[in-house]
């Protein structure tokens, strides 16, 4: 079993443990009414997009998400939350340094023994969700679970769905597809983008992700026999039929969208195995991007 496969299977336990501890971190997480920005790189950025949409739709306050390198310094925020598994990513550390003394910052990380420990004003350590793999799975979803639980939006049903995602068979023919499109709405757009990234990282697949209503505005043109389109959450009316009419495999979202992401992680590993690839050694990638001065 690869590291990534072993770690993705541990997610229900990580989520349960984190949800039970969320009150311990409440003072350093965004308070209701605060204007908040979430920042990260790669997977962490996509998790930030999901949290931002959840926070706004729940009425907790205006919330944005940015790649750490694209933060708009002309805007004022009450708090910036940085998601960084390693605590060493150059863009995140540079941003935290620039914000120090001007904007309150919280870093959510898996390893406190890194530069982020002193770069951020406040720290949340999810060391039980740390990973050996380059390809992120459980840390990202556990960080999202922390913030989802902080909003009062996490339930035991989410964990139950994750266990179902780990035990269920992948849809027939899905592993054999040559191209994958993931769709979302609201907070699940970030999850769809993360699913596509997992496919690219672990299995070198051609994969894309879009807001579901944008699918008809161009992306549908790539759908045909031998491709798959996977919906995270409830699909817009008529979309499933339109996808099937192209000849593509339609995968409806039946579980909690975060559990659907677990199923997509499994797909990435399965496609990698079918292609003779090692998902623990993704091409051109390292566990953290550390730029030379």
């Amino acid at each position: 079993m690869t590291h990534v496969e072993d770690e993705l299977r541990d997610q229900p336990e990580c989520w349960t443990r984190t949800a039970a501890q969320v009150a311990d971190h409440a003072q350093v997480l965004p308070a209701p009414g605060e204007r908040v920005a979430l920042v990260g790189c790669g997977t962490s950025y996509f998790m930030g997009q999901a949290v931002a949409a959840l926070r706004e739709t729940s009425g907790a306050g205006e919330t944005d998400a940015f790649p750490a390198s694209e933060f708009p310094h002309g805007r004022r925020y009450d708090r910036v939350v940085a998601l960084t598994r390693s605590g060493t990513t150059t863009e995140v550390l540079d941003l935290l340094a620039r914000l120090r003394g001007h904007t309150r910052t919280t870093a959510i990380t898996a390893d406190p023994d890194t530069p982020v420990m002193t770069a951020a004003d406040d720290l949340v350590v999810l060391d039980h969700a740390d990973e050996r793999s380059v390809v992120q799975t459980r840390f990202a979803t556990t960080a999202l679970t922390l913030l989802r639980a902080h909003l009062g939006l996490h339930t035991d049903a989410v964990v139950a769905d994750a266990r179902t995602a780990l035990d269920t068979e992948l849809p027939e023919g899905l592993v054999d597809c040559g191209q994958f499109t993931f769709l979302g709405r609201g907070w699940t757009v970030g999850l769809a983008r993360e699913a596509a990234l997992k496919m690219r990282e672990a299995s070198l697949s051609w994969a894309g992700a879009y807001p579901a209503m944008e699918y008809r505005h161009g992306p549908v043109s790539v759908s045909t026999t031998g491709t798959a389109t996977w919906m995270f959450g409830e699909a817009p009316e008529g979309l499933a039929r339109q996808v099937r009419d192209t000849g593509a495999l339609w995968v409806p979202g039946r579980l909690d969208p975060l559990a659907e992401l677990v199923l997509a992680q499994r797909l990435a590993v399965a496609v990698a195995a079918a292609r003779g690839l090692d998902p623990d050694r993704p091409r051109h990638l390292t566990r953290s991007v550390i730029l030379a001065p």
Side-chain angles (χ1 to χ4, degrees), residues 2-279:
T2 62
H3 293 317
V4 66
E5 186 176 7
D6 182 53
E7 288 159 358
L8 74 83
R9 297 196 66 84
D10 193 40
Q11 288 173 107
E13 289 72 25
C14 287
W15 300 356
T16 298
R17 179 173 173 179
T18 296
Q21 297 173 345
V22 67
D24 298 338
H25 306 295
Q27 295 303 311
V28 300
L29 295 177
E34 282 188 334
R35 190 167 190 243
V36 174
L38 291 113
V39 298
C41 300
T43 290
S44 293
Y45 166 50
F46 296 142
M47 295 298 100
Q49 285 187 314
V51 172
L54 279 174
R55 190 170 185 270
E56 283 215 350
T57 56
S58 69
E62 185 176 348
T63 315
D64 297 313
F66 305 101
S69 59
E70 297 295 327
F71 183 80
H73 288 278
R75 296 189 190 179
R76 295 182 62 86
Y77 291 97
D78 298 310
R79 184 178 296 272
V80 171
V81 178
L83 305 179
T84 171
R85 176 180 65 172
S86 70
T88 60
T89 303
T90 298
E91 296 102 302
V92 173
L93 294 176
D94 286 351
L95 175 59
L96 292 174
R98 186 168 175 181
L99 293 174
R100 180 170 287 279
H102 304 285
T103 304
R104 194 75 186 177
T105 60
T106 296
I108 301 175
T109 186
D111 184 358
D113 192 23
T114 62
V116 78
M117 183 175 183
T118 55
D121 296 312
D122 300 306
L123 196 66
V124 176
V125 180
L126 303 176
D127 51 358
H128 58 281
D130 201 359
E131 298 163 326
R132 296 179 63 185
S133 59
V134 173
V135 176
Q136 281 199 57
T137 55
R138 71 183 180 193
F139 173 76
T141 61
T142 300
L144 192 153
T145 296
L146 171 75
L147 292 162
R148 196 179 182 189
H150 180 61
L151 292 169
L153 300 175
H154 175 82
T155 68
D156 291 340
V158 179
V159 176
D161 275 2
R163 297 189 192 282
T164 299
L166 291 170
D167 295 335
T168 192
E169 294 290 331
L170 292 169
E172 185 176 355
L174 186 57
V175 172
D176 299 323
C177 288
Q179 187 163 303
F180 303 87
T181 300
F182 297 91
L183 306 177
R185 304 182 82 177
W187 76 285
T188 70
V189 172
L191 301 186
R193 289 172 174 160
E194 169 60 8
L197 180 61
K198 289 286 91 68
M199 296 302 301
R200 293 191 292 267
E201 289 177 332
S203 66
L204 306 184
S205 295
W206 285 98
Y210 310 91
M213 292 299 288
E214 286 294 303
Y215 177 73
R216 298 180 175 96
H217 297 270
V220 65
S221 63
V222 305
S223 296
T224 187
T225 303
T227 71
T229 300
W230 189 330
M231 183 72 214
F232 279 58
E234 184 177 355
E237 184 176 355
L239 187 59
R241 181 180 64 254
Q242 184 174 3
V243 170
R244 293 189 181 105
D245 286 346
T246 70
L249 176 64
W250 169 254
V251 183
R254 294 191 172 95
L255 303 171
D256 180 90
L258 193 57
E260 289 282 333
L261 179 56
V262 175
L263 199 57
Q265 293 168 347
R266 286 186 53 215
L267 173 64
V269 172
V271 173
R275 296 178 179 178
L277 301 171
D278 182 354

